[in-house]
Amino acid sequence: MARHLVVGNGKLLVNLDNHSYIRDIYFPYVGQLNHVGGQRCRVGVWVEGSFSWLDEPQWEFKLDYIEDSLVTNVTATHRQLELELQINEGIHQREHIFIKRVVVRNLAEYDREIRLFFHQDLMIDGTEVGDTAAYYPQNRTLFHYKRSSYFMFNGCSEEGGIYQYSTGIKRFGSAEGTWRDAEDGVLMGNAIAQGSVDSVISLRAITGAGSDQTFYYWMSIGSNLSEVKELNKYVQESNPEKLLSRIVIYWNHWLKRAGSDFGDLPEEVVRAYKQSLLLVRTQIDERGAILAANDTDILQYNRDHYSYMWPRDGALIADAMSMAGYQSVIAPFFHFCADTLSPEGYLYHKYNPDGTVGSSWHPYIVQGAERLPLQEDETALVLYALWKDYIRHQVIELPQSLHSNLIRKAAHFLSEYIEPSLGLPKPSYDLWEERYGIWTYTVASVYGGLMAASFFTDLFGDYERSDRYRRTADMVKDAMLEHLWDEEHGRFARGLICKDGKWVKDMTLESSLFGIWEFGVLPVQDSRVIRTIAAIRQGLAVRTDVGGIARYTNDYYFQQSGDIERVPGNPWIICTLWVAAFEIDSAKKLEDLDAPRNTLKWVLRHALPSGVLPEQLSPHDGSPLSVAPLTWSHATYVQCVCKYTQKYKSLTGSQA
C-alpha cells in the first residue's frame, strides 16, 4: 500500500501510484472529499496496432520529482514497443488545475503514429451513484459532474486537441468500464453516460524516428460548469508548458526558507529534507487541518482511513515545520484547533478536514462506568507547539488571537483534569489510541502544555493564572518522578493502569518515552533519561538486516513476526528518528553526531523510490507497511535535520 507520488497546493491534492495513475483526488479540502477513491485512472499507449496500459509488467519505471519542486519526474520505458515516456505532473500553485506532460520518445528507426489514452474513473463526492460523464462540444472537452462538483478534462498535442473520446458504464452488471474500449486504439464516441460511469480521451501525433512528441493532459475542478470552463480556457491561453514551469519556479522559491547551511549532512539527506518539507505541505489544508495520511489503500483493512487531523500529529508536525521556518504555513492549524475545541476545553480524538469531528473507537461508557473518550496529549501538545513557535518567530499576534479561545480554555481543562490521589493527569487513551490509563508520554505532554500556558499567561500579564498553571505543572512533574520512574528496571514505566482499584505500573518498553526530555520534564543529560533511552535502543531494536526501532514490545499492528526477541515490532520511521533526536540533543562533540547522521541515511534507504516515507516497514525486507506517505514520518525527518544542523553549528562554534 502506498501513494508513490503526491502533488497539491493546499486546496487540491492528487495522489498517483507507481504507474503514474491518478488514484485519489481530494477537493475542496485536502483529505476531503475523495473523488476517485483508490480506483485507477489509467494511461495507455497505442502504436502500430499494439496497445499497452502503463501498469503492464513490460513497462520499467523510474519515479522522482523535479528537484526542489512538487512536479513529478517519471520515466517509463517499454523495450518491446520501443517507446520511452517522460512524465511530469503538477498542480497549479493557486488554481484547481492538474497538468500532466508526457514526452513520448520513439526509439524505433522509422516514423510512427502514437496515440495516448487517458482514462477518468471518478467516484464524485465519494460514491459512484448518480455521476454524469459527457462530451462538451462547445470547447471540445469531456467533463464529469454531480451536484456542485465538476471535473473537466482536456489535452493537446502537435496535432491538435482531443482526437477521440467516449463515455460509458463501469463496474455495473457486465460492464467493466470504458477503458476496455480503448484497447483497440479506437474510441466509440459515446457522448454521455450517467450512473456509475467512466470516460476516456485520446491524443495523437506522428513521431519521427529517434525523435519525440509532447502531449499535454489537464483537469480543471470547480463548483459549476462555468468555473471549469474558465479554468480550461486559462490553461489553453497560458500554455500548459508555461504553467508547469511556473509551478516548478514557485516551489523553488517556497523552499528558500529552508536555508542552505546543513553542516556536514550528505547531499542526499538535504535533498530528502527539502522533499519532506514539500510533501508535508501537500498534506496541509490551507484552512488549517494537517492530515495524517491520504492513502486510501488502507480502506481494505478496516473501511476507514487516515484522512483525518489528529491534533497530536498536527501539533508535532506544526512544531517541525515551525522549526524549519514555515510559521505562516502552520498558523491556521492553531486557529483550527481553537475553533474545534470542545466546550469543556479539550480536543476530540480526530477531525475531518472541514472541522467536523471524525470517526472514533473510544467509548463513552465501559463496564457501566462513564469515561471521557479523549487522548489528553492531543490538547496539551497544541499548547506546547504554539509556545515553541512563538519563541522561535516572536509573532505575538498569533497567540494573542488565541489567548481566550484556545490557550486559557485548554489550560484550564489540563489543570483541572487531575487524579487527586496521584497528582497526575486522569486516565485517558495513549498516543497510539490503543489503551486506557495514565501514560508517561501523556503526562510529559501535559507538563509541556501547562508550562506553555504559564509562559503565555505571563507574557500577557495574567500572572495569577500563570502561577497556577506553573504550580500544577510542577506537581505533575513531581508525581511523574515519584510514580512512573521504576528504579528496579532503571527506566520509566510506560504508564499506570488501574487493576482491582489499585494503580499498577505497566513496564512494557515504549519508544514514546522520548517525550520525557522532548517536552521539557527532564533535561536530556538527566541519568533517568539516558537510562530510559538506552533501554529503548537495546530492547526495541529490530535485529534483522532492516534494523530500526519498534513502537513497543510485541506491537500487534501489522505484525509480521512472532519472534519478539529479534523483532519486538515493525520498525517505525518516527520511532527510529526519536532515538536519533536524543543522540543529537545529547551530543557533546562532533563524533557524537555520526550515529544520528547514519540514521538519517538509513531512512533514505527505506524510502520508496520516489522519496516518499511510509509509516512502518516490514522487518524482513524493508518494504512499506500501512500508509505512505505518512505526514508524521516526513515531519519527524524535518525535525531531526533541523536539530542536527543546529547542534552541528553549536559544536563547531564551540570548537572554533
Side-chain angles (χ1 to χ4, degrees):
M1 296 184 299
R3 295 295 180 255
H4 290 71
L5 299 160
V6 298
V7 289
N9 64 1
K11 295 175 284 189
L12 169 63
L13 173 69
V14 173
N15 291 338
L16 302 108
D17 65 16
N18 55 334
H19 302 109
S20 209
Y21 287 179
I22 292 175
R23 300 292 296 276
D24 306 290
I25 298 173
Y26 291 97
F27 180 82
Y29 295 89
V30 173
Q32 181 187 341
L33 301 157
N34 190 345
H35 303 283
V36 176
Q39 303 300 328
R40 291 171 172 80
C41 294
R42 296 167 169 85
V43 179
V45 183
W46 178 93
V47 58
E48 295 184 297
S50 296
F51 186 92
S52 179
W53 295 112
L54 295 193
D55 60 350
E56 292 174 4
Q58 293 85 358
W59 288 97
E60 300 172 11
F61 276 84
K62 293 181 180 178
L63 307 178
D64 203 351
Y65 286 85
I66 293 176
E67 189 167 359
D68 292 351
S69 82
L70 278 172
V71 174
T72 69
N73 192 21
V74 177
T75 303
T77 306
H78 197 302
R79 301 188 187 279
Q80 290 90 339
L81 294 180
E82 297 183 281
L83 291 175
E84 181 181 278
L85 311 182
Q86 188 71 36
I87 305 171
N88 306 107
E89 297 124 331
I91 288 176
H92 193 278
Q93 64 274 18
R94 182 180 66 254
E95 306 292 351
H96 311 143
I97 298 169
F98 170 85
I99 301 174
K100 183 192 291 276
R101 173 178 59 197
V102 184
V103 179
V104 180
R105 184 162 293 109
N106 177 15
L107 304 179
E109 297 179 353
Y110 51 93
D111 297 356
R112 297 192 290 177
E113 178 188 354
I114 307 292
R115 300 178 192 171
L116 289 188
F117 291 78
F118 300 93
H119 169 231
Q120 291 77 228
D121 188 348
L122 270 56
M123 301 169 56
I124 299 177
D125 296 350
T127 172
E128 296 171 311
V129 176
D131 289 3
T132 299
Y135 181 71
Y136 193 65
Q138 186 182 104
N139 60 5
R140 298 189 68 242
T141 63
L142 196 145
F143 74 103
H144 290 223
Y145 74 93
K146 179 163 60 188
R147 293 190 290 272
S148 59
S149 298
Y150 281 72
F151 302 79
M152 182 165 279
F153 303 93
N154 202 355
C156 66
S157 69
E158 190 179 72
E159 302 286 324
I162 291 176
Y163 175 55
Q164 293 177 329
Y165 67 87
S166 198
T167 70
I169 303 299
K170 66 180 183 189
R171 293 189 293 277
F172 183 77
S174 60
E176 291 184 79
T178 309
W179 59 278
R180 284 296 191 191
D181 181 35
E183 293 178 340
D184 61 356
V186 179
L187 295 171
M188 64 186 294
N190 186 47
I192 194 166
Q194 59 85 216
S196 178
V197 300
D198 67 343
S199 65
V200 183
I201 63 174
S202 70
L203 308 171
R204 72 181 290 273
I206 304 299
T207 308
S211 64
D212 53 52
Q213 284 281 5
T214 302
F215 299 77
Y216 298 96
Y217 165 84
W218 61 89
M219 167 182 65
S220 52
I221 306 177
S223 59
N224 55 59
L225 184 58
S226 296
E227 189 176 337
V228 292
K229 283 168 59 181
E230 283 301 309
L231 290 174
N232 174 73
K233 183 181 178 182
Y234 170 69
V235 175
Q236 291 176 311
E237 292 179 346
S238 301
N239 187 308
E241 178 68 34
K242 290 181 179 178
L243 291 181
L244 263 179
S245 67
R246 290 174 192 170
I247 296 170
V248 173
I249 291 168
Y250 174 81
W251 292 115
N252 286 171
H253 286 299
W254 186 87
L255 273 176
K256 287 185 177 178
R257 269 180 285 178
S260 57
D261 184 1
F262 296 94
D264 64 347
L265 286 175
E267 181 180 341
E268 64 269 22
V269 170
V270 175
R271 188 173 190 272
Y273 167 74
K274 293 180 178 180
Q275 186 177 9
S276 287
L277 286 169
L278 290 166
L279 291 173
V280 170
R281 181 66 188 89
T282 67
Q283 310 299 302
I284 300 177
D285 186 88
E286 66 175 11
R287 286 142 292 198
I290 300 176
L291 282 301
N294 289 290
D295 175 359
T296 50
D297 275 353
I298 196 72
L299 285 169
Q300 63 186 284
Y301 287 89
N302 60 1
R303 302 312 297 168
D304 209 341
H305 49 74
Y306 278 42
S307 294
Y308 296 108
M309 195 205 81
W310 276 264
R312 170 199 319 101
D313 297 37
L316 295 175
I317 293 161
D319 184 46
M321 293 298 282
S322 169
M323 189 181 294
Y326 289 87
Q327 197 270 345
S328 61
V329 173
I330 52 89
F333 162 77
F334 296 105
H335 287 289
F336 183 103
C337 292
D339 292 341
T340 57
L341 198 70
S342 73
E344 297 83 3
Y346 63 86
L347 287 160
Y348 293 104
H349 182 182
K350 51 191 168 83
Y351 294 87
N352 297 305
D354 63 1
T356 55
V357 176
S359 64
S360 180
W361 51 88
H362 297 333
Y364 283 83
I365 188 167
V366 176
Q367 296 178 345
E370 291 189 21
R371 175 182 291 184
L372 199 59
L374 85 157
Q375 298 165 179
E376 194 178 3
D377 65 306
E378 300 206 284
T379 304
L381 288 176
V382 171
L383 297 184
Y384 168 80
L386 182 62
W387 176 252
K388 295 290 290 293
D389 178 72
Y390 171 72
I391 60 177
R392 290 187 192 106
H393 302 290
Q394 299 293 301
V395 181
I396 198 169
E397 292 85 357
L398 178 60
Q400 176 59 50
S401 67
L402 298 164
H403 187 226
S404 61
N405 62 345
L406 176 63
I407 296 170
R408 279 173 46 180
K409 284 179 67 176
H412 177 76
F413 173 80
L414 295 177
S415 64
E416 294 293 319
Y417 197 66
I418 299 294
E419 175 60 44
S421 65
L422 297 171
L424 291 169
K426 289 182 179 179
S428 68
Y429 288 93
D430 69 347
L431 80 160
W432 310 123
E433 309 161 288
E434 295 172 347
R435 52 194 62 84
Y436 189 76
I438 299 174
W439 310 109
T440 300
Y441 176 90
T442 303
V443 174
S445 73
V446 169
Y447 173 84
L450 284 169
M451 289 301 294
S454 174
F455 295 144
F456 275 128
T457 46
D458 186 74
L459 182 71
F460 297 126
D462 192 349
Y463 303 124
E464 187 175 318
R465 278 193 177 88
S466 177
D467 289 343
R468 185 164 70 250
Y469 297 151
R470 184 183 293 270
R471 284 196 302 271
T472 307
D474 289 340
M475 176 190 71
V476 166
K477 175 179 177 177
D478 291 342
M480 176 179 171
L481 299 180
E482 177 184 354
H483 298 295
L484 290 164
W485 171 258
D486 189 272
E487 188 61 40
E488 181 182 350
H489 288 82
R491 61 175 174 85
F492 280 94
R494 173 158 73 177
L496 300 174
I497 53 176
C498 191
K499 289 186 176 181
D500 300 323
K502 296 181 179 179
W503 293 104
V504 179
K505 287 179 183 174
D506 178 350
M507 293 307 301
T508 306
L509 190 57
E510 259 272 13
S511 61
S512 69
L513 295 174
F514 86 100
I516 300 161
W517 100 88
E518 182 66 24
F519 306 141
V521 180
L522 293 174
V524 72
Q525 301 89 355
D526 189 282
S527 63
R528 289 161 292 190
V529 172
I530 294 170
R531 292 165 71 185
T532 298
I533 298 300
I536 291 170
R537 191 190 280 120
Q538 174 67 23
L540 294 181
V542 177
R543 303 183 190 285
T544 67
D545 291 340
V546 175
I549 300 293
R551 285 198 303 172
Y552 54 79
T553 304
N554 199 17
D555 184 358
Y556 74 95
Y557 190 47
F558 285 97
Q559 191 172 58
Q560 303 291 300
S561 172
D563 184 359
I564 305 305
E565 291 297 317
R566 292 182 64 248
V567 184
N570 300 329
W572 280 53
I573 300 294
I574 58 171
C575 303
T576 307
L577 288 170
W578 289 341
V579 172
F582 166 80
E583 293 168 341
I584 294 167
D585 285 352
S586 60
K588 297 179 180 178
K589 54 186 184 300
L590 284 176
E591 298 79 57
D592 295 337
L593 294 178
D594 291 347
R597 185 170 60 250
N598 287 334
T599 298
L600 291 170
K601 292 190 285 187
W602 174 89
V603 171
L604 297 192
R605 292 197 299 274
H606 294 93
L608 275 67
S610 61
V612 161
L613 297 178
E615 178 184 75
Q616 50 184 299
L617 308 168
S618 165
H620 306 302
D621 59 12
S623 58
L625 294 173
S626 190
V627 294
L630 182 75
T631 315
W632 198 357
S633 293
H634 283 284
T636 310
Y637 194 83
V638 166
Q639 182 196 46
C640 267
V641 170
C642 289
K643 282 177 174 278
Y644 185 100
T645 54
Q646 291 169 8
K647 179 53 70 88
Y648 183 87
K649 292 174 186 176
S650 172
L651 292 175
T652 52
S654 65
Q655 291 177 357

